[in-house]
Amino acid sequence: MSEVFDAMQFLSYLINGISLGSVYALIALGYTMVYGIAKMLNFAHGDVIMIGSYVVFFAFGSFGLNPIVSVLLSMVVCTLLGVTVERVAYRPLREAPSLAVLITAIGVSYLLQQTAQLMWSSNPKSFTSVVGLRAVSLFDGQLMISGETIVTILSCILIMLALTWFVNHTSAGHAMLAVSEDRGAAQLMGVNVNATISLTFAIGSALAAIAGALLCSSYPTLQPTTGAMPGIKAFVAAVFGGIGSIPGAFVGGILLGIIENLSKAYISTQLSDAIVFLMLIVVLLVKPTGLLGKKVNVKV
Amino acid sequence: MAITKLKNMKKTTKSNLITFGIVVAFYLVIQLCTGMGMMTSSFAGQLVPICAYIILAVSLNLTVGILGELSLGHAGFMSVGAFSGTLVWMTTSATLPSWLALALSFVVGGVVAGLFGLLIGIPVLRLSGDYLAIVTLAFGEIIKNFMNACYLGYDANGLHFSLKDSASLHLAADGQVLINGAMGITGVKKASTFTVGIILILITLVVILNLIHSRAGRAITSIRDNEIAAQSIGINITRYKLMAFIVSAVFAGVAGVLYSLNFSTLVAKKFDYNTSILILVFVVLGGIGNIRGSIIAAAILTVLPELLRSMNDYRMLIYAIVLIVVMIFSQSPQLVAWRKKTLAKFKKNGSVKPPKGVA
């Protein structure tokens, strides 16, 4: 930090951080909901994002469909994919030890990556942004905010609000809460556990499709491994905020994005990931269940 | 005489001897194949990595299967071990006799990894379950990023270290860059052989099997089975958790040295999250808590992509499908029950134990 501190530049880094964080938050929602309800770490979630991005890439970039239609199409594909994966690979292992499901999820992750590589080759594709909005200039052009940034932040906030409303005010949402509280008791109360878990995967995967389109609009290289690192970061964000908690995923995602972008700008590009992970360790040591996580007392 | 001795032997001793026997038999078969010229060069190149992966799988099984904590950062310990051991090898191989330099490299690699295990273990083992898993994952990524940005060199004035680039090391004219950031260590004289690998596997097995069947090992398993109950009978939880974690880290470090001395360059990128996952896959597929299973799974799964080479593009796809199908068939409660029923039909007193799971 040898140069003079530039407030506008800082603001620009901060806003970009929030935008990146919004994408993490959207992905983290998928992780956190699935964890809360099915008690499993879905390691294949990052690769669903990648598949979704390819769908948008072809629908919008190659066939020239309307951007909104392309994203909707990608949401449909991802939803089907998520539900199918859950049905075929995870449901038979519902009562198995959690490690078994974890390894299966890793297998699914490899499978999706390899399929993408076989179908579309590992050469990076350059993604055309789905956002048609022009950049906004503030403070006499000292601060430029790109259209992608605005759309990303706004859609994340909208989705968060909609999801919170859905969980708290619809019967399907209540079923989700019930299953995450106690699966057995929920079943006794007449909640269809399998349908609820399928619904959770559907919502998580649809959000992953949106996140993929937004992520690739801001960072326009697309290849079969595109989803892996954002997937891990979003997983970290979910744990950061308290895994299983929807507001936690939001807070964790945004914070993670800000920390990553600021440390990239002011400390070191190479070490920014290390700093992000170090922050996670520090937070977990102080609050072992994440920022907004519930404390669980273990009884004998 | 010998047969009665074998009969009176304790069950665990017998089981351990079988495990050692498998390793020795594996060694002899491979040596025989090499002697008869039946080895393809691509398979021969896999021998040292197989040994390294076996040690990694066995050591991770100590954390995952015996201690019952999920670790996703085993490659991190492998990485610190590999870098420190290789540095020792680079600096001492010219002056010391090569067997001594090699032994020293393994010891240093193991000790450094063990120290990291202690350093990480003290804070991290306060967490449990998925939180512990994510922190070990974070730790592995931190090590990878740090080693990627790490520059180390030496000249007449001693060691120089930087996190920026090799120019900011300010080396004298005669200085030499040892670790060159993301390019890692280059020009390593290869030293790992299959025989060294097998010796290390045997040492690992002696230490870990003895630990498991000792008083300390029983304390560790009791923590896995019920932490609160173990605490209530006076077992020092932190001490035994740390013990298992550190021993596991030490052997990961040794395996890292073995692995890295098989190649002429060493880069931090190799030891990423995918490597940790790969080792975990060996442990889970081999059977959690089953040391012999880890050995067999590590050997087979390392060779499998090689065997599928003729399928070229599809081999990783097949690997993924095999992984999913094996997991579903071996772990799904319905399928396990079905398998047991079918087995019982064939065997009269067929009491198949269910696989021990760690939640």
Side-chain angles (χ1 to χ4, degrees), chain A residues 35 43 92-93 96 99-100 103-104 106 111 114 118 232 235 239 243 270 273 277-278 284-285 288-289 300, chain B residues 64 70 123 126-127 130-131 134-135 141-142 145 228 273 277 284 288 313-314 316-317 320-321 327 331-333:
Chain A
Y35 183 85
F43 264 100
L93 295 170
L99 255 181
I103 301 290
T104 313
I106 290 163
L111 183 69
Q114 291 302 318
L118 285 175
I232 295 179
F235 176 31
V239 177
I243 196 157
Q270 278 173 315
D273 285 355
F277 290 118
L278 197 67
L284 284 188
L285 290 180
T289 51
V300 184
Chain B
V64 176
L70 178 57
R126 287 174 49 202
L127 304 168
D130 296 323
Y131 289 96
I134 183 81
V135 168
E141 288 297 306
I142 291 175
N145 278 299
I228 297 173
Y273 143 86
I277 296 285
V284 177
I288 296 162
D313 294 343
Y314 294 93
M316 283 314 287
L317 192 72
I321 294 172
M327 272 341 274
Q331 301 284 341
S332 161

Side-chain angles (χ1 to χ4, degrees), chain A residues 36-56:
Chain A
I37 287 157
K39 294 284 174 290
M40 67 163 287
L41 298 174
N42 182 12
F43 264 100
H45 194 59
D47 302 291
V48 175
I49 300 166
M50 176 269 299
I51 300 281
S53 306
Y54 271 105
V55 173
V56 177

Side-chain angles (χ1 to χ4, degrees), chain A residues 215-262:
Chain A
L215 179 77
C216 288
S217 294
S218 300
Y219 302 85
T221 33
L222 178 60
Q223 57 193 71
T225 51
T226 295
M229 206 55 204
I232 295 179
K233 295 253 185 70
F235 176 31
V236 167
V239 177
F240 203 88
I243 196 157
S245 142
I246 290 178
F250 183 70
V251 172
I254 301 277
L255 274 179
L256 203 73
I258 294 176
I259 295 171
E260 183 181 331
N261 242 23
L262 290 186

Side-chain angles (χ1 to χ4, degrees), chain A residues 55-139:
Chain A
V55 173
V56 177
F57 174 81
F58 286 112
F60 176 61
S62 305
F63 296 107
L65 290 179
N66 179 292
I68 295 180
V69 176
S70 312
V71 175
L72 283 177
L73 181 69
S74 159
M75 284 169 73
V76 172
V77 171
C78 284
T79 306
L80 288 177
L81 180 69
V83 173
T84 315
V85 164
E86 194 275 327
R87 183 71 193 82
V88 175
Y90 303 154
R91 194 176 293 180
L93 295 170
R94 184 88 27 94
E95 308 300 327
S98 66
L99 255 181
V101 198
L102 183 78
I103 301 290
T104 313
I106 290 163
V108 172
S109 160
Y110 285 164
L111 183 69
L112 294 181
Q113 277 183 27
Q114 291 302 318
T115 313
Q117 193 170 334
L118 285 175
M119 284 168 74
W120 305 305
S121 91
S122 55
N123 298 333
K125 300 204 172 350
S126 81
F127 192 92
T128 335
S129 170
V130 290
V131 179
L133 211 62
R134 272 211 311 230
V136 176
S137 139
L138 293 172
F139 302 107

